[in-house]
């Protein structure tokens, strides 16, 4: 072996990721995961139609407040637990190693299900777009697999490349939505501009529980700022700022955008307009920005979803990398590429996983929109609410035990309030979960059928897997178990 080859092998064996990502780059990464245009064009119309109608925009603001309270405790932990891994690491430090492993596998479920759900959606959109342009009518899963491959190529390379791609796409998405809101404000809307979406009577109308489920789902990914700790510049300052920036930015943007959507048709007319939720955004853009705007939104909707799956790919690969570094996954998954300084093995594993799941959905002949997207987005929403609630408890326990941070607001009050909000949200999501997967009776009321129970079982199975693995490692590999975290819990 040559000297150069020896250096390359040594470099690829490094376990620590490196980079110089700043606040803006990390915010772009996690906000892109939220897929702004997909949320405004897809989730918001559904939240209006089967949620609480004209009062839906307020639920984005409420979700932002709950998650901002959660973020206070998360930011405190990032300063005192200088390791990547987010839920996995913080719950492990606060509640012990077994709970940490349970959180790790639940997080894997969350990000995997939300990622594959979007692969289904983007495959569906590419299929109908190509056909509308006179192209061949190919199956949705072929397009989805092509996107999986492209994401895998970008994920294999240095994180800076992904952040630049995501940054460009995100700016374009935000710009077109803000242009639409500006056009609505300038035009005044059919019923004039008003604060009707924030009036209590509208907020509590219809099914606000369903609307809250869609609102919280829109924030999935913001908490992943901590995953990029090793690749951040001055992480003790960058990560907390990026976390707050992501929550506030997402909350303000979605509240404003959905308010603009309601004003575009009027508080009294939005429900009728949302009867076809899949085309509401395009019809609104065509009405206020013309045909050119409609074409631009069509294109950006596809790039928005691509940005989403690329961002979640990066999050998943780093979660796997952190788990491998802790001895939970095979050691090789913790490898870092000599040139790209990326978790390249983990990236390959994630690409294969996404491709395999897409192939399974194709074999089962699942509908890409009504089943792949809707079902698994519902699973991810419930799992993330539970994870964040558990993390809030872990923050309180950790600082009560260590006294490393004596700020009462940051370590007790805010996390406690965040826990209450998240716990209530999780209960509401479970109650209304059947609606997301189509298990309803003749009157449209939620009924827990086979599909609902099967999907909810995943949210139970994965943390149980984590507890079982912790018990196995403790019994068979006590030295590895002792290194899972630096705490003495568990």
């Amino acid at each position: 072996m040559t000297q150069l080859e020896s250096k390359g092998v040594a470099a690829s064996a490094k376990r620590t990721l490196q980079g110089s990502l700043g606040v803006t780059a990390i915010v772009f990464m996690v906000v892109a995961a939220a897929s702004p245009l997909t949320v405004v064009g897809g989730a918001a119309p559904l939240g209006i139609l089967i949620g609480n109608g004209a009062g839906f925009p307020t639920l984005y603001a409420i979700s932002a407040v709950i998650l901002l309270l959660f973020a206070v405790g998360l930011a405190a932990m990032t300063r005192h637990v200088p390791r990547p891994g987010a839920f996995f690491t913080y719950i492990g430090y606060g509640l012990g190693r077994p709970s940490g492993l349970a959180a790790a596998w639940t997080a894997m479920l969350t990000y995997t299900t939300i990622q594959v759900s979007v692969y289904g959606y983007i495959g569906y959109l590419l299929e109908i777009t190509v056909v509308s342009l006179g192209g061949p009518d190919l199956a949705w899963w072929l397009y989805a697999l092509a996107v999986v491959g492209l994401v895998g190529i970008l994920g294999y390379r240095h994180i800076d490349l992904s952040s630049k791609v995501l940054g460009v796409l995100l700016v374009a998405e935000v710009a077109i939505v803000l242009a639409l809101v500006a056009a609505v404000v300038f035009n005044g809307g059919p019923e004039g501009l008003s604060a009707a979406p924030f009036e209590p009577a509208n907020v509590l109308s219809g099914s606000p529980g369903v609307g809250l489920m869609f609102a919280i789902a829109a924030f999935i990914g913001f908490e992943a700022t901590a995953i990029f700790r090793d690749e951040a510049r001055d992480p003790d300052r960058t990560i907390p700022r990026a976390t707050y920036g992501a929550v506030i930015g997402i909350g303000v943007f979605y509240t404003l955008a959905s308010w603009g959507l309601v004003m575009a048709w009027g508080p009294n007319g939005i429900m009728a307009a949302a009867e076809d939720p899949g085309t509401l955004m395009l019809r609104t853009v065509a009405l206020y920005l013309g045909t050119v705007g409609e074409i631009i939104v069509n294109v950006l909707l596809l790039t928005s979803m691509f940005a989403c799956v690329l961002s979640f790919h990066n999050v998943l690969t780093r979660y796997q990398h952190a788990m491998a570094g802790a001895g939970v996954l095979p050691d090789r998954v913790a490898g870092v590429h000599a040139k790209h300084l990326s978790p390249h093995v983990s990236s390959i594993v994630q690409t294969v996983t996404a491709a395999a799941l897409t192939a399974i959905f194709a074999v089962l002949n699942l509908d890409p929109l009504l089943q792949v997207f809707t079902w698994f987005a519902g699973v991810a929403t419930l799992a993330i609410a539970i994870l964040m609630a558990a993390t809030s408890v872990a923050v309180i326990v950790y600082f009560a035990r260590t006294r490393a941070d004596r700020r009462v607001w940051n370590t007790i009050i805010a996390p406690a309030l965040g826990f209450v909000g998240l716990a209530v949200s999780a209960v509401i999501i479970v109650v209304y979960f059947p609606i997301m997967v189509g298990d309803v009776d003749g009157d449209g009321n939620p009924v827990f059928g086979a599909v609902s129970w099967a999907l909810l079982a995943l949210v139970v199975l994965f943390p149980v897997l984590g507890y079982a693995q912790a018990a196995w490692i403790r019994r068979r590999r006590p030295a590895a178990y002792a290194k899972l975290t630096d705490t003495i819990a568990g």
Side-chain angles (χ1 to χ4, degrees), residues 272-339:
E275 287 182 359
D276 183 5
T279 63
L280 178 60
M281 181 66 175
L282 292 176
R283 284 183 282 120
T284 306
V285 171
L287 182 63
Y288 285 90
L289 297 180
T291 304
V292 174
E294 185 179 8
I295 294 173
I296 293 174
V297 167
N298 257 317
V299 173
L300 288 179
L301 187 57
L302 291 170
T303 61
S304 171
M305 292 188 178
F306 177 77
C308 178
V309 291
L310 175 58
S311 185
F312 278 121
H313 177 92
N314 287 329
V315 171
L316 276 163
T317 56
R318 280 147 187 83
Y319 236 107
Q320 292 174 167
H321 178 271
M323 291 172 68
V328 178
L329 292 178
D331 187 62
R332 189 176 180 184
V333 179
V336 176
H337 196 278
K339 178 181 178 182

Side-chain angles (χ1 to χ4, degrees), residues 182 258 431:
S258 55
V431 171

Side-chain angles (χ1 to χ4, degrees), residues 348-370:
I348 293 173
V349 170
Q350 179 48 221
T351 301
V352 172
T353 300
L357 288 172
T358 301
I360 291 172
F361 297 153
V363 171
L364 294 175
N365 198 31
L366 295 184
D367 183 277
L369 188 60
L370 300 178

Side-chain angles (χ1 to χ4, degrees), residues 50 93 141 158 250 264 268 316 342 385 397-398 435 440 449 472 479 488:
I50 62 178
Y93 270 69
W141 54 267
H158 196 284
I250 292 173
N268 296 316
L316 276 163
S342 63
V397 172
Y398 175 77
I435 291 179
V440 295
W472 184 88
I488 60 172

Side-chain angles (χ1 to χ4, degrees), residues 19-38:
S20 59
L21 297 175
V23 173
T24 302
I26 295 177
V27 169
F28 275 4
M29 202 87 63
V30 298
V31 174
S35 192
L37 194 55
T38 303

Side-chain angles (χ1 to χ4, degrees), residues 226-240:
I227 290 291
F228 299 100
R229 181 181 180 87
D230 285 345
E231 295 157 283
R233 180 174 60 248
D234 189 10
D236 288 341
R237 294 164 60 98
T238 299
I239 299 302

Side-chain angles (χ1 to χ4, degrees), residues 440-468:
V440 295
D441 61 19
D443 297 324
N445 299 313
V447 176
F448 286 89
V451 175
S452 294
W453 285 122
L455 294 174
L456 288 173
L458 293 175
V459 184
V460 176
L461 176 62
F462 272 73
V464 169
L465 174 63
Y467 282 113

Side-chain angles (χ1 to χ4, degrees), residues 103-201:
W105 285 109
T106 305
M108 289 287 289
L109 172 68
T110 298
Y111 297 127
T112 298
T113 50
I114 195 66
Q115 184 192 44
V116 297
S117 73
V118 179
Y119 275 129
Y121 204 151
I122 196 171
Y124 164 79
L125 282 181
L126 283 170
E127 178 187 7
I128 62 174
T129 299
V130 171
V131 171
S132 68
L133 295 175
D137 187 3
L138 302 178
W140 69 268
W141 54 267
L142 291 174
Y143 293 106
L145 287 174
V147 176
V148 170
L150 182 56
V151 167
I153 293 172
L154 289 172
Y156 186 91
R157 298 176 65 84
H158 196 284
I159 189 68
D160 284 343
L161 176 60
S162 292
S163 69
K164 291 173 182 175
V165 172
L166 292 172
V168 172
L169 297 180
L170 180 61
V171 168
E173 290 179 54
V174 171
I176 192 66
V177 173
L178 291 180
L180 174 61
V181 173
V184 171
V185 171
F186 180 79
N187 179 278
E191 299 177 24
L193 304 180
S194 71
F198 308 108
E199 295 175 0

